[in-house]
């Protein structure tokens, strides 16, 4: 009985020891990308520091060790043996490469793919791999959608970006390398109930997963269902069957919202080489064909004629005997790609004279109707379907109308003022506007934009720097009691440009001090101040 108890005690001890100090042998090597990585004498942050590891060093003599909840690498550098911590804080300093246990190979898609000696695509490449050539993937960083360590057929090694290649077993990539890849600008419409979106073209392809590479986050729910559409950038024929490369990034005012990146067989889709011709055939439209053809050229093809929205506007006397229109349209069937907050629209200001159309101004925006990236419930009412991205205003009352284009950023907005010069609208001033997060676009559209008011805004550590920021209340004189007696400056629109007026009698010169670093004293909070100014 006593022997049995001793045996169980030893067994429990070994299990606990294994759990507290486990070893994993799947790490191939680590690449040091920072200059603050420490080599310690023991797997503990309290142990002795032996040295700092050199940046851009590859360490291959490695053993992965887990002590309690901490992960460490046991390494040998020269004659020293020590430990490097693999913590969350060190992710920007250390890149971990894992063995390619699946024996995947790669084939270059672009011509050429550049191979580097370090993990930095801005450095000079070691060598290049021409499109169609295949190579062996020795190791991958993380789950493989970033950097890969590869070996060519001739034995050369280096690092490449995983997004530039196709991956598969040796037989699959050899087949792809022998097939002709063709660049196209087209669309497909899904024709089956269960379309198969594959990681590589051909019979060896598997269904894509969210771990496969795509621009920003790979979102499987954004792939089109039956009767849905997707843009095509490339096609390839393998064993007599065409495969189409569908790739797209979905963005809004907050940046990238996700992406798709896959191949699909011609058996699952209808190929649409020209979406413009397809949309004209599918939909009856009363719009002038000359206008539609102009819009199609402006967006480089694939106009969806069914999405064209046109509205007559007044631009005054900028062009005698002409009519003017705001036009919104889409490229392809973009509404097929998920929610409305990922849809990009093309906007144009068009003149019609003597039955000919001329584009005076163009812009592209994202519909962020459901977006909340600016941390305000009022942002939900900013963007609508009334073509409100472009404000038309006769600022100086000369019956020649200016344009004010609103542009969204991750936190603030900016506006750009255009004036009609030599047959086109040209930019005359642009400002990033701080503190717009609590001001609705309805208020902005009511402004006359004749005066732009600036106040001193603190930013940076402990308010050591200042800059002159536009206040969103673009008001009329007098200004002195509007802004809690803060030091301000004012630009006024005169003779087609903005010039400074000494509105508060300070004698300050806007042109000399804008964006300078100045002592910061009693500056208002940007967001709250903008709300009060409204």
């Amino acid at each position: 009985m006593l022997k049995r108890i001793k045996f169980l005690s030893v067994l429990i001890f070994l299990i606990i020891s294994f759990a507290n100090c486990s070893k994993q042998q799947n790490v191939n090597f680590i690449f040091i990308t920072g200059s603050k990585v420490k080599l310690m004498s023991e797997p503990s942050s309290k142990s002795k520091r032996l040295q700092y590891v050199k940046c851009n060093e590859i360490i291959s003599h490695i053993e992965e060790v887990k002590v309690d909840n901490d992960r460490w690498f046991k390494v040998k550098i020269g004659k020293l043996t020590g430990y490097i911590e693999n913590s969350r804080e060190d992710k920007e300093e250390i890149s971990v490469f894992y063995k390619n246990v699946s024996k995947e190979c790669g084939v270059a898609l672009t011509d050429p793919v550049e191979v580097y000696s370090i993990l930095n695509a801005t450095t000079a490449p070691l060598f290049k791999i021409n499109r169609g050539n295949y190579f062996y993937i020795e190791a991958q960083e993380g789950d493989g959608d970033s950097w890969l360590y590869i070996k060519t057929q001739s034995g050369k090694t280096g690092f490449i970006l995983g997004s530039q290649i196709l991956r598969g077993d040796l037989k699959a990539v050899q087949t792809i390398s022998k097939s002709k890849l063709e660049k196209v600008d087209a669309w497909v419409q899904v024709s089956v109930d269960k379309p198969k979106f594959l990681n590589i073209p051909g019979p060896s392809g598997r269904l894509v997963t969210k771990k496969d590479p795509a621009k920003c986050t790979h979102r499987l729910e954004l792939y089109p269902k039956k009767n849905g559409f997707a843009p095509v950038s490339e096609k390839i024929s393998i064993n007599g069957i065409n495969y189409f490369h569908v790739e797209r990034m979905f963005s809004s005012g907050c940046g990238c919202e996700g992406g798709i990146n896959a191949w699909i067989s011609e058996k699952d889709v209808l190929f649409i080489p020209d979406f413009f011709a397809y949309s004209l055939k599918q939909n009856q439209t009363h719009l002038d064909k000359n206008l539609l053809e102009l819009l199609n050229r402006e967006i480089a093809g694939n106009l969806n004629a069914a999405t064209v929205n046109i509205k007559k506007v007044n631009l005054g006397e900028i062009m005698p005997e002409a009519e003017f229109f705001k036009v919104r349209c889409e490229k392809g069937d973009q509404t097929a790609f998920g929610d409305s907050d990922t849809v990009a629209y093309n906007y144009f200001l068009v003149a019609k004279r003597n039955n000919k159309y001329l584009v005076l101004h163009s812009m592209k925006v994202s519909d962020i109707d459901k977006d909340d990236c600016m941390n305000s419930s009022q942002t939900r009412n900013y963007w609508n379907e009334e073509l409100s991205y472009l404000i038309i205003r006769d600022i100086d009352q000369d019956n020649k109308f200016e344009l004010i284009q609103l542009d969204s950023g991750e936190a603030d907005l900016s506006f750009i003022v255009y004036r009609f010069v030599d047959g086109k609208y040209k930019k005359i001033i642009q400002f990033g506007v701080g503190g717009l997060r609590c001001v609705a676009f309805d208020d902005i559209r009511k402004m006359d934009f004749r005066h732009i008011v600036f106040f001193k805004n603190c930013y940076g550590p402990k308010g050591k720097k200042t800059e002159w920021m536009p206040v969103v209340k673009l008001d009329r004189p007098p200004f002195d009691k509007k802004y809690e007696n803060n030091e301000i400056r004012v630009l006024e629109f005169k003779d087609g440009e903005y010039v400074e007026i000494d509105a508060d009698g300070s004698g300050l010169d806007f042109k000399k001090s804008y964006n300078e670093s100045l002592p910061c004293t009693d500056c208002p909070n940007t967001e709250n101040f903008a709300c009060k100014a409204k």
Side-chain angles (χ1 to χ4, degrees):
M1 184 68 180
L2 185 60
K3 289 183 178 180
R4 185 177 180 182
I5 292 173
K6 287 183 178 179
F7 173 77
L8 288 174
S9 299
V10 172
L11 181 61
I12 292 170
F13 173 79
L14 290 174
I15 292 173
I16 293 174
S17 298
F18 182 79
N20 287 338
C21 187
S22 61
K23 300 180 180 180
Q24 300 175 7
Q25 302 297 332
N26 61 332
V27 176
N28 195 326
F29 62 86
I30 58 176
F31 191 99
I32 306 301
T33 56
S35 57
K36 298 180 181 179
V37 178
K38 302 173 185 177
L39 180 67
M40 310 299 288
S41 60
E42 299 293 337
S44 169
S45 58
K46 297 180 180 179
S47 64
K48 181 182 177 182
R49 186 187 76 219
L50 300 178
Q51 66 177 43
Y52 284 103
V53 186
K54 293 179 181 178
C55 184
N56 294 329
E57 183 162 349
I58 296 176
I59 304 174
S60 55
H61 297 282
I62 187 169
E63 190 176 283
E64 198 173 16
V65 177
K66 183 178 178 182
V67 180
D68 297 325
N69 292 323
D70 297 327
R71 293 182 180 275
W72 292 80
F73 295 118
K74 184 178 181 181
V75 302
K76 186 176 182 180
I77 303 175
K79 296 181 179 180
L80 289 177
T81 298
Y83 296 83
I84 295 174
E85 189 172 8
N86 181 25
S87 66
R88 183 176 299 176
E89 291 76 16
D90 291 329
K91 293 301 182 184
E92 294 183 0
E93 301 278 327
I94 300 173
S95 291
V96 183
F97 281 78
Y98 297 89
K99 294 178 182 178
N100 180 18
V101 294
S102 62
K103 304 298 182 183
E104 279 187 320
C105 297
V107 59
L109 274 185
T110 59
D111 191 9
V113 171
E114 295 182 332
V115 184
Y116 302 92
S117 60
I118 61 174
L119 307 187
N120 187 343
T122 64
T123 59
L126 276 176
F127 58 91
K128 299 177 182 181
I129 301 176
N130 292 327
R131 187 173 69 183
N133 289 348
Y134 70 89
F135 47 84
Y136 308 100
I137 300 174
E138 299 290 299
Q140 63 184 34
E141 181 188 23
D143 51 15
D145 61 350
S146 184
W147 288 97
L148 303 173
Y149 184 67
I150 62 103
K151 180 188 288 186
T152 66
Q153 299 174 57
S154 61
K156 293 181 179 180
T157 59
F159 298 95
I160 66 169
L161 290 168
S163 58
Q164 297 179 333
I165 67 165
L166 285 179
R167 302 170 62 172
D169 59 40
L170 180 59
K171 183 179 179 181
V173 297
Q174 284 177 332
T175 301
I176 294 170
S177 69
K178 296 174 183 177
S179 303
K180 182 181 179 181
L181 184 72
E182 182 182 348
K183 295 283 185 181
V184 294
D185 182 14
W187 290 72
V188 289
Q189 183 182 28
V190 176
S191 57
V192 297
D193 292 324
K194 295 181 179 180
K196 296 178 181 179
F197 291 99
L198 309 173
N199 67 322
I200 59 172
S204 299
R206 56 165 174 77
L207 294 179
V208 291
T209 69
K210 63 181 181 181
K211 291 185 177 181
D212 287 311
K215 293 180 179 178
C216 58
T217 305
H218 200 163
R219 290 176 56 186
L220 302 182
E221 70 274 15
L222 293 178
Y223 283 94
K225 308 297 189 294
K226 186 175 182 179
N227 297 322
F229 297 84
V232 176
S233 58
E234 297 163 320
K235 72 174 182 179
I236 191 171
S237 179
I238 296 177
N239 299 331
I241 298 174
N242 287 323
Y243 291 84
F244 304 104
H245 185 200
V246 296
E247 183 179 20
R248 184 167 178 80
M249 180 180 71
F250 304 90
S251 61
S252 71
C254 289
C256 184
E257 300 288 337
I260 62 173
N261 180 29
W263 294 81
I264 190 165
S265 165
E266 63 181 355
K267 296 180 179 180
D268 291 350
V269 296
L270 169 68
F271 180 61
I272 305 173
D274 183 354
F275 204 99
F276 179 44
Y278 172 84
S279 67
L280 287 175
K281 186 177 180 180
Q282 296 293 316
N283 302 279
Q284 296 293 327
T285 177
H286 65 282
L287 297 176
D288 191 325
K289 188 177 180 180
N290 291 326
L291 172 62
L292 295 176
E293 289 177 347
L294 172 66
L295 297 174
N296 188 50
R297 290 194 299 270
E298 288 289 325
I299 66 172
N302 287 311
L303 170 71
N304 187 344
T307 67
V308 177
N309 183 324
I310 186 168
K311 181 179 180 181
K312 193 170 183 178
V313 295
N314 177 27
L315 295 178
E317 299 176 355
I318 66 167
M319 188 180 292
E321 300 179 356
E323 294 180 287
F324 306 102
F325 304 92
K326 274 184 177 181
V327 183
R328 190 201 74 188
C329 60
E330 296 175 25
K331 187 180 178 74
D333 190 11
Q334 294 182 348
T335 54
F337 298 100
D339 298 331
S340 62
D341 62 338
T342 62
V343 178
Y345 297 103
N346 295 279
Y347 281 79
F348 297 96
L349 198 61
V350 178
K352 180 183 180 182
R353 186 169 63 175
N354 300 327
N355 292 322
K356 294 183 178 180
Y357 292 93
L358 175 67
V359 172
L360 306 179
H361 183 73
S362 63
M363 59 185 291
K364 187 172 184 178
V365 295
S366 297
D367 178 1
I368 56 171
D369 182 51
K370 297 179 181 179
D371 208 338
D372 198 24
C373 65
M374 287 180 283
N375 302 318
S376 168
S377 60
Q378 293 192 42
T379 21
R380 299 176 187 276
N381 300 320
Y382 280 2
W383 311 90
N384 55 52
E385 299 301 320
E386 299 302 323
L387 308 178
S388 61
Y389 300 92
L390 203 61
I391 299 171
I392 298 175
R393 189 80 76 246
D394 188 2
I395 299 177
D396 53 359
Q397 302 299 307
D398 63 351
N399 204 27
K400 294 182 179 180
F401 285 68
E402 285 73 40
L403 307 180
I404 298 95
Q405 179 176 316
L406 304 176
D407 188 22
S408 66
E410 292 190 4
D412 296 324
L413 302 179
S414 65
F415 66 83
I416 310 169
V417 180
Y418 294 85
R419 183 171 177 79
F420 192 76
V421 181
D422 298 330
K424 282 277 189 178
Y425 273 99
K426 296 185 179 180
K427 181 169 66 175
I428 60 172
I429 197 168
Q430 177 175 358
F431 289 117
V433 185
L436 268 181
R437 285 170 284 188
C438 54
V439 180
F441 274 16
D442 286 341
D443 293 329
I444 296 175
R445 286 197 294 269
K446 295 174 184 176
M447 300 172 186
D448 63 11
F449 289 89
R450 187 170 180 81
H451 296 94
I452 304 173
V453 183
F454 292 74
F455 69 96
K456 194 179 295 183
N457 170 41
C458 295
Y459 74 98
K462 298 181 181 180
K464 290 183 178 180
K465 296 181 180 179
T466 65
E467 61 181 8
W468 291 91
M469 297 289 290
V471 177
V472 293
K473 187 67 172 177
L474 309 182
D475 213 338
R476 298 178 178 86
F479 305 97
D480 54 343
K481 293 183 180 179
K482 292 281 185 179
Y483 304 99
E484 300 179 344
N485 295 318
N486 283 285
E487 194 175 332
I488 65 168
R489 30 190 70 127
V490 179
L491 298 186
E492 184 175 69
F493 192 74
K494 289 183 178 181
D495 300 324
E497 62 178 344
Y498 282 96
V499 295
E500 183 174 11
I501 60 174
D502 192 3
D504 61 354
S506 65
L508 295 172
D509 186 349
F510 165 79
K511 292 183 178 179
K512 289 184 178 179
S513 57
Y514 181 57
N515 276 341
E516 285 184 356
S517 292
L518 302 171
C520 188
T521 57
D522 300 325
C523 298
N525 176 277
T526 309
E527 183 172 348
N528 294 337
F529 191 72
C531 293
K532 292 176 184 178
K534 182 182 70 170

